[in-house]
Amino acid sequence: MAYVVTQNCCNDASCVAACPVGCIHPTPDEPGFGTAEMLYIDSATCIDCGACADACPVDAIVPDTEFTADYSAMNALYYQTNPMTPTWQYRTSTSLVTTDRPGLRVAIVGSGPAAQYAAKELLAQPGVEVHMFERLPVPFGLIRHGVAPDHPATKAVADQFAWTRDQERRFHLHLNVEIGTHLDHAELLAHHHAVLYAYGAASNRRLEVRGERLPGSLSAFDFVGWYNGHPDHADALPDLSGPRAIVVGNGNVALDVARILATEPERLSTTDIADHAYARLRRSRIEEVVVLGRRGPVEAAFTTPELHALAQRPDIDVIVDPADLEGVAEPPDPIVRQKLDLLTGLARAGRTRGNRRIVLRFHTSVREIVGEHCVTDVHVVRHGLPEVIETSLLIGSIGFRGTPIRGVPFDAANGTIPHDRGRVIRPTTGLPATGVYAAGWIKRGPTGVIGTNRTCANETVAALIEDYLEGRLADPPAGRGELVQLLHRRRPAALDRDGWAAIDAAERSAGMADGRPRRKFYRTEDMLSAARPPRRLLRLLTR
Ligand code: NAP
């Protein structure tokens, strides 16, 4: 028997470090890691010890059985083109902060996966103190507001961000504090040796076609935020009254959006989907979701494991037009070949009566979104020919974009912070801005899965610690006490870890009655009032 990596793989490479025989690849220091759809176990080398399964934060690694045959094949395919070499070597740790110069204080802006991985790596070093700033009253960014509600195993990645007692004393969470509004970049630098920006991509790319702003046309950024209870998107209110929705773009976000629209609402009843979205989806009349890819099937942006999982759903028919596959040359990469094989199988599959449908269309580009008061039709060009598709809902899922923070270098063309291995670069001089770092989507753009942020954050932390040890980071003029006072003056409504603990407990307990992991608050005011009572109670109790 051997172990096998399955669909949930988050690529954070915890398994790679745990494996005693080095049979999980690509490793973070190998070419291809940054673009790998998942990690793969070489069954011939695996010694069946299970260390990888224990280390995996999202339960993606299981023993191979007949039920995992497809994944065993996926794992094996990787090694056809990437045979094992006996010289593997992978070490995870960055250099340690020595006791010669203790007391490194770092501000992290953002609280999503990249911010959390950076904090984890920093707090693993003795004497490092981390202050994490988050705009919302709740932490975890993409893990809470991006991962689809029917992917609970992926959300479990957040469980690893629990600190030991000693680390807890060195970790300070400041929620409901927006950098650029309540505190600015210069103030953060004045109170910390370094500021690490990891606030993700806070906007979306636009289609830039006529009719994009009509009611009935929205972005996946809005739609995903809406069903995941992000307070900024609580009022997105997608029109689910027609029989068809169109999703433009065919990345994994597009598949998430299409799947949520096509899912029988009852299946979502035990998830943490936002209540208001669940109620609206229950009244949905959508029967068909058409996903438009502008390029061909081989170039489709969705990953093979996500397509495979979708194809397994008994309640959804996934439909592919055989004409889209005609004349497609066999791709040399076996992983892409597997994607094509899956699509070929879907093109031959029959339909199940009563199922909702996801139609994957390729070589189709949107030219115009049409309607007098709201969307009624979408004009497309398919295989070079014009076509009109009737719809009342169009969701653009063509990627995200980072937004700037005043005083921090920003590359407006790419929507990212310019950097060299995590050190932020001033575009005017091409030199690093002292004490300023970036990690995650704001550093590399919106690519990779949740765990990709671990390697990305570790690279940044390694640069930061190297700068500190080399004496390139000056001691900040102001200390922690002054920071706390400043925060108190500027943002009395800030929440700390206790505030989040109260919100978390309230959400979990509200969900328990219905067998759900939590019932999310999706209004800021509700989050804030859930955070307050226990703190008042605590003050009374300790008086
Ligand atoms: P993505 O994978 O980059 O896909 C973007 C899609 O938009 C592509 O199909 C792209 O087509 C298309 N597109 C871009 N500009 C367009 C335009 N002007 N007109 C029409 N189509 C356009 O981005 P994403 O789906 O937003 O995902 C972001 C990252 O999160 C990805 O790394 C993804 O894997 C990850 N993610 C993972 C999961 C999961 O593992 N379950 C779930 C969600 C997201 P072209 O390919 O032709 O450029």
Side-chain angles (χ1 to χ4, degrees):
M1 195 187 82
Y3 278 78
V4 56
V5 185
T6 63
Q7 177 223 339
N8 291 337
C9 178
C10 72
N11 290 36
D12 89 347
S14 302
C15 54
V16 173
C19 177
V21 293
C23 72
I24 308 176
H25 294 262
T27 63
D29 47 3
E30 284 175 343
F33 176 81
T35 52
E37 294 191 343
M38 56 187 270
L39 305 184
Y40 306 93
I41 291 178
D42 176 42
S43 62
T45 313
C46 175
I47 56 168
D48 188 25
C49 68
C52 55
D54 291 344
C56 176
V58 292
D59 290 338
I61 304 183
V62 294
D64 64 346
T65 62
E66 56 183 300
F67 300 111
T68 61
D70 291 347
Y71 290 107
S72 300
M74 262 183 223
N75 281 240
L77 268 176
Y78 174 80
Y79 292 96
Q80 274 182 20
T81 35
N82 302 277
M84 282 284 290
T85 57
T87 55
W88 71 276
Q89 210 177 19
Y90 173 59
R91 283 186 298 278
T92 50
S93 61
T94 50
S95 49
L96 281 179
V97 173
T98 58
T99 43
D100 303 348
R101 209 184 155 209
L104 168 64
R105 192 181 318 124
V106 181
I108 297 181
V109 180
S111 68
Q116 299 285 351
Y117 280 121
K120 194 177 167 81
E121 184 73 356
L122 281 163
L123 290 166
Q125 320 274 329
V128 178
E129 180 180 316
V130 171
H131 290 259
M132 183 178 280
F133 297 85
E134 163 62 52
R135 177 173 80 84
L136 296 178
V138 290
F140 294 126
L142 202 62
I143 303 172
R144 179 180 166 107
H145 293 127
V147 176
D150 58 349
H151 280 170
T154 308
K155 287 172 194 272
V157 83
D159 296 346
Q160 66 180 295
F161 304 123
W163 321 112
T164 62
R165 278 252 157 139
D166 161 57
Q167 289 173 340
E168 268 191 12
R169 277 196 293 275
R170 298 186 280 120
F171 177 66
H172 305 270
L173 187 59
H174 307 288
L175 299 166
N176 205 26
V177 179
E178 184 163 21
I179 303 308
T181 303
H182 305 113
L183 294 180
D184 64 26
H185 172 64
E187 286 167 332
L188 281 188
L189 263 184
H191 292 82
H192 302 85
H193 292 90
V195 184
L196 193 163
Y197 287 96
Y199 58 97
S203 73
N204 59 283
R205 297 178 63 193
R206 301 187 66 87
L207 280 163
E208 311 290 356
V209 295
R210 204 141 39 133
E212 193 175 10
R213 290 180 194 273
L214 275 172
S217 161
L218 71 162
S219 68
F221 185 56
D222 282 328
F223 186 71
V224 171
W226 172 73
Y227 66 60
N228 271 329
H230 192 299
D232 289 358
H233 308 284
D235 300 314
L237 302 183
D239 181 349
L240 309 179
S241 63
R244 179 182 295 125
I246 290 181
V247 180
V248 185
N250 63 11
N252 281 343
V253 171
L255 286 201
D256 282 350
V257 165
R259 200 179 60 251
I260 293 296
L261 283 169
T263 292
E264 176 58 40
E266 209 46 45
R267 285 180 73 114
L268 298 170
S269 65
T270 52
T271 71
D272 69 356
I273 189 167
D275 285 359
H276 64 144
Y278 177 60
R280 199 171 179 90
L281 284 164
R282 279 179 68 89
R283 299 193 299 274
S284 166
R285 299 225 177 103
I286 288 174
E287 291 160 15
E288 177 175 280
V289 186
V290 182
V291 178
L292 305 181
R294 61 181 171 178
R295 296 192 285 162
V298 166
E299 294 82 20
F302 50 70
T303 57
T304 306
E306 287 305 312
L307 177 65
H308 177 268
L310 181 64
Q312 302 302 304
R313 285 280 297 262
D315 58 323
I316 299 175
D317 285 355
V318 184
I319 294 169
V320 176
D321 182 350
D324 280 346
L325 304 175
E326 268 168 29
V328 175
E330 182 151 295
D333 181 340
I335 309 279
V336 184
R337 211 153 55 224
Q338 196 175 33
K339 189 185 281 186
L340 194 60
D341 289 347
L342 266 170
L343 291 169
T344 307
L346 288 168
R348 292 196 191 115
R351 298 188 184 185
T352 309
R353 212 184 154 88
N355 269 5
R356 289 178 174 174
R357 302 178 294 279
I358 294 179
V359 182
L360 301 178
R361 287 207 176 159
F362 301 95
H363 297 294
T364 308
S365 298
V366 174
R367 286 291 177 262
E368 188 178 351
I369 302 165
V370 179
E372 205 172 322
H373 306 293
C374 58
V375 176
T376 54
D377 298 293
V378 177
H379 291 197
V380 301
V381 171
R382 179 162 155 72
H383 288 287
L385 297 173
E387 204 178 292
V388 177
I389 313 176
E390 240 180 84
T391 190
S392 50
L393 175 65
L394 178 135
I395 300 179
S397 181
I398 62 166
F400 302 101
R401 269 186 68 80
T403 51
I405 286 182
R406 198 153 36 88
V408 183
F410 190 69
D411 175 349
N414 292 316
T416 52
I417 294 178
H419 74 97
D420 175 19
R421 284 168 296 143
R423 292 181 178 94
V424 172
I425 299 295
R426 288 190 192 287
T428 42
T429 59
L431 297 171
T434 306
V436 193
Y437 302 84
W441 278 8
I442 196 63
K443 167 185 168 186
R444 63 177 202 278
T447 58
V449 290
I450 297 274
T452 313
N453 292 297
R454 182 178 177 206
T455 319
C456 176
N458 286 1
E459 177 188 63
T460 300
V461 169
L464 190 160
I465 286 175
E466 185 185 302
D467 289 348
Y468 182 67
L469 294 177
E470 297 289 325
R472 290 192 280 265
L473 304 182
D475 286 337
R480 189 205 306 165
E482 282 128 312
L483 173 69
V484 171
Q485 283 173 16
L486 178 68
L487 247 177
H488 191 67
R489 274 202 313 278
R490 293 283 181 75
R491 192 56 168 159
L495 301 180
D496 57 12
R497 273 214 315 269
D498 292 344
W500 160 238
I503 296 173
D504 187 34
E507 287 189 340
R508 285 180 193 272
S509 115
M512 210 182 306
D514 303 324
R516 301 171 62 188
R518 64 175 67 240
R519 272 183 73 192
K520 280 180 181 170
F521 295 112
Y522 54 91
R523 299 274 180 205
T524 302
E525 56 273 25
D526 294 339
M527 295 173 184
L528 293 178
S529 41
R532 299 295 177 208
R535 304 180 81 203
R536 275 208 300 272
L537 190 67
L538 188 71
R539 271 203 298 278
L540 283 175
L541 288 173
T542 52
R543 206 173 261 170

